[in-house]
Amino acid sequence: MRTGWRPEGAPRRRRRGLRIPMMGAVAAATAGVIAATTVAVSPVSGGSGGGADSGGGDGRTVPGNVLLVAASNAEKAAANGRYWHTESVLGQVYAVGKSAADHYKVDVRQRRVVWVAPDGSTKFALVDLGGRPLTAEDERKWRQAGSPSQMEVPNPEGREPGVVFMKSSGAADRPSLRTLEPGAEYFGMSAKQVAALPTDPRALEKALLKLKGHWRAYSSDTRQEPIGALRGEERTRALSEVAATLLSTAPTPPRVRAAAFRMLAALPGVKAEGTAADPLGRTGAVISLPLETTVPLGIYTAPKQLGTYRRQWIVDAVRGRLLAVRDLVVTPPSGSRRLPAGDDGKSRVLTAEDMPDRFHRPGELAAYEVFEVAEWTGTPPR
């Protein structure tokens, strides 16, 4: 959600209408076409956790236990049906106002619906769900401001502000599906290539290490490189991005999903942090990833990084499902950074004032994606 990753050649959307840049887990199904715009759902309740013991012996949760239980249950899931159907809600939290003292937060959201046919062809829809004040206090300030139906917000895509709307587009119940022809939609892999991935976690990791892309958080290098060229936390970061896609929006067979959970359990720095509820109220185990930042994979978004973030997964181990991915602010945006020249050839500078979460405090929700539906079905797209 805060990566803005897109496959090579994918069209880039200006964020004037403010739609969410998808997370990797999140930059998943038909990533390029359905990618980026700025949206958001209701706040994720809970925090880093409630301390549910997963077998650490000393009261601490053990990520391997949670993820291995999830793997076993994911492996048992039925894969009956010709079509892969997912529905997810992407969200981003915007600070509206001129100062930290008088601002209020608006949660803007978008629904993404995807159907993948047996031949790999894809139908998809993006539906703007509008925004809402994030908390009761934010609603009080919004009403005090006259309950505006639309408002200007910072726009890291350029100097002109963006606009968010508090009402949905009106197509939430019956979205109009568009067709995307078969291609390399999942981090360079097609649906058929995803289905053919290894079911052994070590073999799966070895296969994913060959995926090429702009994986580094900070880089001015335009060349793509395989994940295997990375080391330490950068490798864990890239592998977790792909794993999240395999566990959410990609048409991944049950045994490959199980391998993805097991692979993640063995990655260094991954840890469990109790339980939390996702924006739909579903409770799961919190898995934190050792990332310095979750904003930019690649040269397009890397120069825009002015803060640091912490990524967490919320996992339903009993059902073997990834429920949500969320990004929390660690260091609020500050300072400035020069950007490449725009189409007009003029130099540009990104400042903290351009960032949607410029007034967020450490630990507050910045963005997320919730995976509401992920199923194999015999029902064709509708």
Side-chain angles (χ1 to χ4, degrees), residues 179-194:
T179 299
L180 177 69
E181 295 303 318
E185 287 97 27
Y186 307 97
F187 292 101
M189 297 180 289
S190 66
K192 290 184 179 180
Q193 288 172 315
V194 168

Side-chain angles (χ1 to χ4, degrees), residues 1-2 18-23 26 37-44 88-94 106-112 129-130 134 279 325-327 365-370:
M1 203 177 315
R2 301 198 55 81
L18 291 176
R19 301 182 171 179
I20 261 190
M22 293 190 285
M23 312 188 207
V26 168
T37 14
T38 307
V39 281
V41 190
S42 53
V44 179
S88 54
V89 176
L90 302 94
Q92 184 158 334
V93 179
Y94 284 89
V106 175
D107 184 5
V108 187
R109 55 194 176 170
Q110 184 179 69
R111 179 178 297 279
R112 185 181 63 202
L129 300 178
L134 186 65
V325 179
R326 66 183 185 181
D327 287 342
L365 181 67
Y368 61 89
E369 184 168 11
V370 178

Side-chain angles (χ1 to χ4, degrees), residues 174-371:
R174 300 183 65 86
S176 177
L177 294 171
R178 292 180 286 168
T179 299
L180 177 69
E181 295 303 318
E185 287 97 27
Y186 307 97
F187 292 101
M189 297 180 289
S190 66
K192 290 184 179 180
Q193 288 172 315
V194 168
L197 284 170
T199 58
D200 173 79
R202 290 186 179 180
L204 176 62
E205 180 176 347
K206 186 176 180 180
L208 299 184
L209 289 176
K210 297 177 183 178
L211 296 180
K212 290 186 176 182
H214 300 299
W215 300 109
R216 298 183 187 272
Y218 304 98
S219 175
S220 59
D221 195 336
T222 60
R223 295 173 299 176
Q224 293 191 1
E225 60 184 336
I227 295 178
L230 308 177
R231 295 294 181 269
E233 290 187 2
E234 283 198 312
R235 178 179 287 193
T236 296
R237 168 200 171 101
L239 286 172
S240 69
E241 290 285 338
V242 181
T245 294
L246 297 179
L247 293 169
S248 57
T249 53
T252 311
R255 293 184 65 194
V256 178
R257 287 177 179 269
F261 273 124
R262 291 178 178 126
M263 179 192 73
L264 188 73
L267 293 179
V270 175
K271 60 182 179 180
E273 297 188 336
T275 60
D278 72 7
L280 299 180
R282 302 172 301 179
T283 300
V286 176
I287 302 295
S288 283
L289 307 175
L291 309 179
E292 176 187 355
T293 172
T294 52
V295 174
L297 287 180
I299 59 172
Y300 176 67
T301 49
K304 300 177 183 177
Q305 176 60 31
L306 294 177
T308 58
Y309 303 83
R310 183 183 189 193
R311 173 151 297 174
Q312 294 180 330
W313 289 11
I314 300 179
V315 175
D316 182 346
V318 174
R319 298 177 64 195
R321 287 191 56 187
L322 175 60
L323 300 179
V325 179
R326 66 183 185 181
D327 287 342
L328 307 178
V329 172
V330 173
T331 304
S334 63
S336 63
R337 181 166 296 171
R338 295 185 66 83
L339 297 178
D343 295 337
D344 57 4
K346 295 180 179 179
S347 61
R348 297 179 297 160
V349 177
L350 177 73
T351 68
E353 287 71 29
D354 300 320
M355 304 304 292
D357 51 12
R358 66 199 188 285
F359 297 138
H360 283 39
R361 293 190 298 269
E364 290 187 334
L365 181 67
Y368 61 89
E369 184 168 11
V370 178
F371 308 108

Side-chain angles (χ1 to χ4, degrees), residues 19-199:
R19 301 182 171 179
I20 261 190
M22 293 190 285
M23 312 188 207
V26 168
T30 59
V33 179
I34 331 182
T37 14
T38 307
V39 281
V41 190
S42 53
V44 179
S45 60
S48 293
D53 187 358
S54 296
D58 57 0
R60 293 178 300 172
T61 54
V62 178
N65 289 8
V66 171
L67 295 170
L68 293 179
V69 170
S72 295
N73 290 320
E75 205 163 21
K76 300 172 186 175
N80 301 324
R82 291 167 48 81
Y83 299 92
W84 174 245
H85 171 218
T86 63
E87 295 191 21
S88 54
V89 176
L90 302 94
Q92 184 158 334
V93 179
Y94 284 89
V96 179
K98 300 296 184 182
S99 72
D102 70 2
H103 83 282
Y104 57 91
K105 295 180 179 66
V106 175
D107 184 5
V108 187
R109 55 194 176 170
Q110 184 179 69
R111 179 178 297 279
R112 185 181 63 202
V113 179
V114 179
W115 294 80
V116 182
D119 64 357
S121 63
T122 301
K123 290 185 179 295
F124 71 96
L126 291 172
V127 181
D128 290 323
L129 300 178
R132 66 181 66 178
L134 186 65
T135 67
E137 176 61 15
D138 292 319
E139 182 171 8
R140 183 190 68 79
K141 290 184 176 181
W142 172 67
R143 293 188 182 282
Q144 190 175 46
S147 303
S149 61
Q150 67 183 63
M151 58 211 71
E152 291 188 346
V153 294
N155 179 14
E157 296 294 333
R159 293 183 179 136
E160 296 181 18
V163 178
V164 297
F165 301 87
M166 300 298 279
K167 291 184 178 181
S168 72
S169 63
D173 295 331
R174 300 183 65 86
S176 177
L177 294 171
R178 292 180 286 168
T179 299
L180 177 69
E181 295 303 318
E185 287 97 27
Y186 307 97
F187 292 101
M189 297 180 289
S190 66
K192 290 184 179 180
Q193 288 172 315
V194 168
L197 284 170
T199 58

